[in-house]
Structures are given as structure tokens and as C-alpha cells.
Amino acid sequence: FDSVKDYFDAFLLKKPQGEIVEGFVKMGKGWCSDTGIYEFTMGATGDKVKARYSYVYVQEDGVWKIQHHHSSVMPEAIAMGKPITESEVRDLFQLWNGALATMDPKQVASRYAKNGVLLPTVSDVPRTDNAGIVDYFTNFLKLKPQGEILESNVIVGANWAQDAGLYEFTMGAT
């Protein structure tokens, strides 16, 4: 009982408001089941969480009680982050440009995903791991580059985003 109480105490701190999106009810003699999908809006944060649910109710002494309850977050809600906006995608370039300004190749390389690929501006060697990306920026940063986006074409997908276009570097060392 204590672990169930602890779960609901923590859940209620989020101030959830639930709504059944899709429900299927079956009834029998002295029992009833309700299965489907519900969505909670967390009043504390505004976040929305969609989940599958199942309840089995039984009648005890003339009162309907929960015999079984299961709830699990929809798999796609687990895998998906909050959607990123086009503006936020464009702002990512400024984070990368700011990393260039530090003149620290490791800081610039940290902006790349673990399996990221860099097709460098002034090299014909693709960089496919962190060590290769650090190596490239070790030399490139000597030129003191700062980038400016000239054309941006943002596409946002499920847990990914792309900003393809043209940018131009101003080299501080030239």
C-alpha cells in the first residue's frame, strides 16, 4: 500500500487533469472493464501525457471497486521529445557559432552528435567521429571564423530537425 500511496502522492503534486480520449467498456455480472487511452494535462507544468489504461471493477457489498488498474505512457510519448520550433532550430546555429568564438576545438566538437558527420568547409576529408571533428577544428579555428546564415531551410521531424542552406564565414585572421 505504501508504494502505491507514494506513487499517487508524487503524481498529484503535478496537478494532473485527465480526459478519456478513447474508451471501451465491457460489463458482466458483478464486474466491469474499461480500457482505452487517456491524456493528462499537468497543471504544474502544462505538459501533456497520453497513456493507455485498463481498469477492472468488481462489486463488493454493493459498491463498485477497482480490482485491477494499469496505466502506461504511450510508446511514442517515451521516444519523442518536445517538438522543436523552426526558430529554435535556427538558434542552434548561434550555439555552434558561439562555440567557434571560444577557439576551443573540443567545445565546437561537443555540438555534434555522437554519430554526427562533418563535411568540412576547407577539407575534403569527411569527419565521422569526435576525434576527427576535434582535429579539423584544431586547424580551422586558427582562422578565427565566424559564420552568418545567408539562407535557411528548416525541416522539423519526429525527434530530429534539419537546417540546410548557405552560410558565409568571416575569417578574423585574414
Side-chain angles (χ1 to χ4, degrees), residues 103-134:
M103 303 298 291
D104 179 353
K106 288 182 181 177
Q107 191 165 342
V108 178
S110 75
R111 299 295 318 149
Y112 290 80
K114 290 178 187 173
N115 60 350
V117 174
L118 168 64
L119 302 175
T121 304
V122 293
S123 170
D124 60 358
V125 178
R127 310 304 168 113
T128 58
D129 61 17
N130 185 266
I133 293 170
V134 169

Side-chain angles (χ1 to χ4, degrees), residues 1-54:
F1 175 78
D2 288 339
S3 63
V4 173
K5 182 181 181 314
D6 290 345
Y7 167 80
F8 280 106
D9 285 345
F11 184 64
L12 292 174
L13 289 174
K14 298 175 184 177
K15 300 181 181 176
Q17 293 294 309
E19 177 183 345
I20 293 175
V21 176
E22 187 177 321
F24 303 95
V25 176
K26 290 186 179 183
M27 298 174 69
K29 185 173 179 157
W31 68 271
C32 175
S33 72
D34 182 6
T35 61
I37 298 170
Y38 49 31
E39 182 175 74
F40 287 96
T41 300
M42 304 302 168
T45 63
D47 289 342
K48 289 185 180 261
V49 178
K50 196 178 275 189
R52 292 180 291 223
Y53 72 87
S54 62

Side-chain angles (χ1 to χ4, degrees), residues 6-170:
D6 290 345
Y7 167 80
F8 280 106
D9 285 345
F11 184 64
L12 292 174
L13 289 174
K14 298 175 184 177
K15 300 181 181 176
Q17 293 294 309
E19 177 183 345
I20 293 175
V21 176
E22 187 177 321
F24 303 95
V25 176
K26 290 186 179 183
M27 298 174 69
K29 185 173 179 157
W31 68 271
C32 175
S33 72
D34 182 6
T35 61
I37 298 170
Y38 49 31
E39 182 175 74
F40 287 96
T41 300
M42 304 302 168
T45 63
D47 289 342
K48 289 185 180 261
V49 178
K50 196 178 275 189
R52 292 180 291 223
Y53 72 87
S54 62
Y55 288 92
V56 176
Y57 301 97
V58 295
Q59 231 179 4
E60 289 182 0
D61 301 321
V63 177
W64 288 100
K65 296 198 174 188
I66 298 169
Q67 180 193 39
H68 166 84
H69 170 213
H70 173 79
S71 182
S72 57
V73 175
M74 300 290 280
E76 52 274 12
I78 294 169
M80 304 292 289
K82 265 191 172 175
I84 190 168
T85 66
E86 286 190 23
S87 176
E88 289 170 325
V89 172
R90 287 188 177 93
D91 289 345
L92 293 172
F93 179 82
Q94 296 310 321
L95 294 174
W96 178 79
N97 211 27
L100 290 178
T102 69
M103 303 298 291
D104 179 353
K106 288 182 181 177
Q107 191 165 342
V108 178
S110 75
R111 299 295 318 149
Y112 290 80
K114 290 178 187 173
N115 60 350
V117 174
L118 168 64
L119 302 175
T121 304
V122 293
S123 170
D124 60 358
V125 178
R127 310 304 168 113
T128 58
D129 61 17
N130 185 266
I133 293 170
V134 169
D135 176 66
Y136 172 76
F137 282 108
T138 297
N139 293 311
F140 186 63
L141 289 176
K142 292 174 184 173
L143 301 172
K144 299 181 181 175
Q146 275 298 283
E148 177 186 354
I149 292 180
L150 303 176
E151 182 181 323
S152 173
N153 301 284
V154 173
I155 300 172
V156 176
N159 234 10
W160 64 271
Q162 169 185 298
D163 186 358
L166 300 172
Y167 62 85
E168 179 177 75
F169 283 113
T170 299

